[in-house]
Amino acid sequence: MMTKMLTPKKAPPKKAPAKKSPATKAKPRKPRAAAKKTKSKAKKSGKRGWLKILWGISWKAGLALAALLLFVGIYLDSVVKQRFEGQLFDLPTVVYARVLDLSPGTPVSLVQVKNELDVLNYRKVNAPRHPGEYSSSSTKIEMIRRPFEFVDGPEADRHVMLHFNGNELTRIQSLEKKGDMGYLRVEPKMLGMLEKSNDEQRLFLKRNQFPEVMVDALLATEDRNFYQHDGVSPLAIARAMVVNVKAGRTVQGGSTLTQQLAKNLFLSSERTLWRKVREAYIALILDHRYSKDRILEAYLNEVYLGQNGGQAIHGFGLASRLYFGQPIQELRIDQLALLVGMVKGPSYYNPVRYPERAKTRRDLVLRLLMQQDILTPRQYEEAASRDLDIQDNPRIASRQPAYFQQVNIELKKYVGDRFEAKKGIRVFTSLDPVSQDKLEKSIARKVPDLSKTAGNKLEAAAIAVDRNTGEIRAMVGGKRTGYDGFNRALNASRPIGSLVKPAIYLTALEQPQKYTLATTLKDTPLSLKGSKGSVWSPSNFDRKFRGDVPLYVALSKSYNVPTVRLGMQLGIDSVSDTIGKLGVDKNEIRPVPSMFLGSFSLTPFQVAQMYQTITNSGRIAPLSALRSVLDNDGEVLYQ
């Protein structure tokens, strides 16, 4: 049996792998889809990281901003609350003239009462229908007395007929109650503000004292949605932006009345974003805290409406006095529209400097009132056809600087520390505006005539006094009657000359057993030796001597020599005592014989005091200007 040996087959030889050049050497590669996925994840991861960082910064910044706004809000809220619940404005001290008291039997003529009404800017009409109007005949005056808050309380307007017989008021007839009245008080003239250094002046009025049609005009012009928005009006802001973009410049503002009030009361006029933010914030606080009428009242009293000299006029109440010389309640609709139109730009629409601009703006306000059916087309045409009708020389009132100095003296003396400036105090005085006007005109007329012979350095002073009460009715401190400087009526001492003579003759007539009006006095040459050897020889004004003259003739003719002889008989001390009893400080008198001819000096005020006592039968009444003083709440500080 043959056996075959099986041997394994040899494997074929392996081929050596082909060598590649370094340039074509293959790198290990991942699949393309996986690479893209990895890149996408990396990008997303990076984006999430930035978003996370931004979110972290944002919420922290937001939190910080919220905290800041909260802090600012708390601070602004406290500022608003403190201002609004304290005294909102610095209010000037308002000075009034005397109240004219009328009753049947009062010795006053129809002409005198008419003069009083003219000084008070009452309007003469055919038939009075409104307060501040009057008509007159030869024996009667029909008038509607304005409402006024007197010292003892407010009084409504009064429609009356005054009946006169010559220089006497015989009857006061009430045309409302169809009967007679026992008395009537005519409101006093506002003389002006006592403080002359205030940059701002205003006459505060309550919300219900402003005419409703004026408020309607203001809202129609400045803030139609005042009673609907919350202090800030996004719609108004957006509308203003559109108008301004179309115009290419700022022609319309988006601020509400509340925002305007916030800016005026609490902020400066700088134009920055931060100021606008605070303005809006305060407006929101005001609207949240206070009623719309309270906010409106503040605005009506705060808004700037022009200048009076160096003083800014704020509020419609005082602007009415400045431009029209009347209380705002008595203005016509066209006059009210003029004031409302000035809100946009008191300087630009100043009716004194730019009457045409002011009239155009006024007519626009009237047209808006017509469009809102507040005025009929006929009322609009009538109002728009009127002239501006402002005062020829716009001013708040006829401030009397010399008289006000005396008022200040008496306030310090009688009221003292209870008087506080800028607290809205009302001061009632004894000044008679008709007498003051006549005194000023008399000086303005007389001084130039006298200056023709005396020279231009001639000055003047005058004081008019009620001889029974001692109340000062008028005072002028210099030939420039409105000049607030050196007051010659109070401070200019001059030798009084023959004004002293009545005191000498009174001293004699107080001794009836020795002197009467018929007593003979010698008018012969006289020489008196002084202590140092000097000789004084008085003479009469005409250099003549008349021998013996009766006492009453020597007084009435103002003879010097008989007066000196009489004074020497009476004695210097006796005459000085009499002058003291008449109200003159004896320290003002130099005790020498020449005092009998008035060689000592007194002021016009002191001479007026002396003659008040003489003309009041020897009863002295200290000269005074002050009648009563009331604080802002109506409490009497002095009476």
Side-chain angles (χ1 to χ4, degrees), residues 77-78 80-81 85 283-291 295:
D77 182 67
S78 66
V80 169
K81 185 178 179 182
E85 295 180 11
L284 292 170
I285 292 170
L286 285 171
D287 198 86
H288 173 72
R289 274 198 169 275
Y290 304 103
S291 68
I295 294 169

Side-chain angles (χ1 to χ4, degrees), residues 243-314:
V243 172
N244 294 337
V245 168
K246 287 182 178 179
R249 58 190 176 91
T250 302
V251 295
Q252 183 174 318
S255 295
T256 64
L257 290 186
T258 316
Q259 285 176 267
Q260 293 178 38
L261 178 65
K263 182 189 74 172
N264 294 341
L265 286 181
F266 302 102
L267 303 170
S268 68
S269 57
E270 62 176 344
R271 296 191 174 187
T272 63
L273 180 60
W274 176 233
R275 199 270 289 164
K276 290 296 291 183
V277 169
R278 285 180 293 159
E279 175 189 297
Y281 211 152
I282 293 172
L284 292 170
I285 292 170
L286 285 171
D287 198 86
H288 173 72
R289 274 198 169 275
Y290 304 103
S291 68
K292 290 289 188 180
D293 280 347
R294 178 75 189 283
I295 294 169
L296 192 56
E297 178 186 86
Y299 182 89
L300 294 168
N301 284 287
E302 167 57 23
V303 62
Y304 170 66
L305 289 168
Q307 292 283 136
N308 180 41
Q311 295 175 323
I313 301 303
H314 287 259

Side-chain angles (χ1 to χ4, degrees), residues 93-371:
T93 302
V94 183
V95 183
Y96 294 92
R98 59 98 179 90
V99 174
L100 179 62
D101 294 305
L102 298 175
S103 59
T106 299
V108 62
S109 69
L110 181 144
V111 172
Q112 287 174 309
V113 174
K114 279 183 61 177
N115 288 341
E116 181 82 14
L117 298 179
D118 291 339
V119 166
L120 292 172
N121 283 328
Y122 273 66
R123 299 173 302 283
K124 188 173 183 180
V125 296
N126 291 328
R129 292 291 179 267
H130 307 285
E133 295 180 343
Y134 81 96
S135 63
S136 68
S137 65
S138 59
T139 59
K140 294 182 288 187
I141 293 178
E142 181 184 351
M143 61 177 290
I144 302 181
R145 200 277 320 273
R146 293 173 176 134
F148 189 78
E149 187 172 353
F150 293 94
V151 175
D152 55 356
E155 284 189 11
D157 52 271
R158 296 276 190 271
H159 192 178
V160 300
M161 182 77 78
L162 305 178
H163 299 258
F164 297 86
N165 183 8
N167 291 325
E168 181 181 347
L169 175 65
T170 58
R171 182 187 178 195
I172 303 175
Q173 179 185 4
S174 172
L175 299 182
E176 298 162 327
K177 299 181 179 179
K178 309 299 182 185
D180 285 0
M181 298 171 61
Y183 76 96
L184 175 73
R185 293 187 290 190
V186 180
E187 83 280 1
K189 179 178 177 62
M190 190 181 84
L191 300 178
M193 315 306 180
L194 191 63
E195 297 91 356
K196 59 182 179 181
S197 58
N198 277 19
D199 293 333
E200 294 185 6
Q201 296 283 19
R202 61 173 50 79
L203 188 64
F204 186 84
L205 298 178
K206 295 178 181 176
R207 167 66 181 86
N208 59 8
Q209 292 178 285
F210 292 97
E212 285 304 315
V213 69
M214 190 205 79
V215 175
D216 290 340
L218 178 67
L219 297 183
T221 308
E222 296 291 325
D223 191 352
R224 296 182 186 181
N225 298 315
F226 175 75
Y227 281 98
Q228 284 74 48
H229 61 63
D230 297 319
V232 177
S233 175
L235 182 62
I237 294 171
R239 184 169 57 243
M241 287 179 64
V242 171
V243 172
N244 294 337
V245 168
K246 287 182 178 179
R249 58 190 176 91
T250 302
V251 295
Q252 183 174 318
S255 295
T256 64
L257 290 186
T258 316
Q259 285 176 267
Q260 293 178 38
L261 178 65
K263 182 189 74 172
N264 294 341
L265 286 181
F266 302 102
L267 303 170
S268 68
S269 57
E270 62 176 344
R271 296 191 174 187
T272 63
L273 180 60
W274 176 233
R275 199 270 289 164
K276 290 296 291 183
V277 169
R278 285 180 293 159
E279 175 189 297
Y281 211 152
I282 293 172
L284 292 170
I285 292 170
L286 285 171
D287 198 86
H288 173 72
R289 274 198 169 275
Y290 304 103
S291 68
K292 290 289 188 180
D293 280 347
R294 178 75 189 283
I295 294 169
L296 192 56
E297 178 186 86
Y299 182 89
L300 294 168
N301 284 287
E302 167 57 23
V303 62
Y304 170 66
L305 289 168
Q307 292 283 136
N308 180 41
Q311 295 175 323
I313 301 303
H314 287 259
F316 286 97
L318 197 56
S320 172
R321 299 271 185 173
L322 174 65
Y323 295 109
F324 301 107
Q326 293 175 332
I328 196 164
Q329 297 87 351
E330 296 176 17
L331 298 190
R332 301 186 307 265
I333 181 60
D334 58 289
Q335 295 169 321
L336 294 171
L338 175 66
L339 295 180
V340 169
M342 290 177 65
V343 170
K344 185 176 181 180
S347 299
Y348 188 81
Y349 295 109
N350 185 320
V352 180
R353 299 181 62 187
Y354 308 111
E356 289 303 319
R357 285 183 196 170
K359 188 175 186 300
T360 300
R361 179 68 180 166
R362 179 202 70 178
D363 294 349
L364 172 62
V365 175
L366 291 171
R367 192 156 54 250
L368 289 173
L369 288 174
M370 180 181 67
Q371 291 170 358

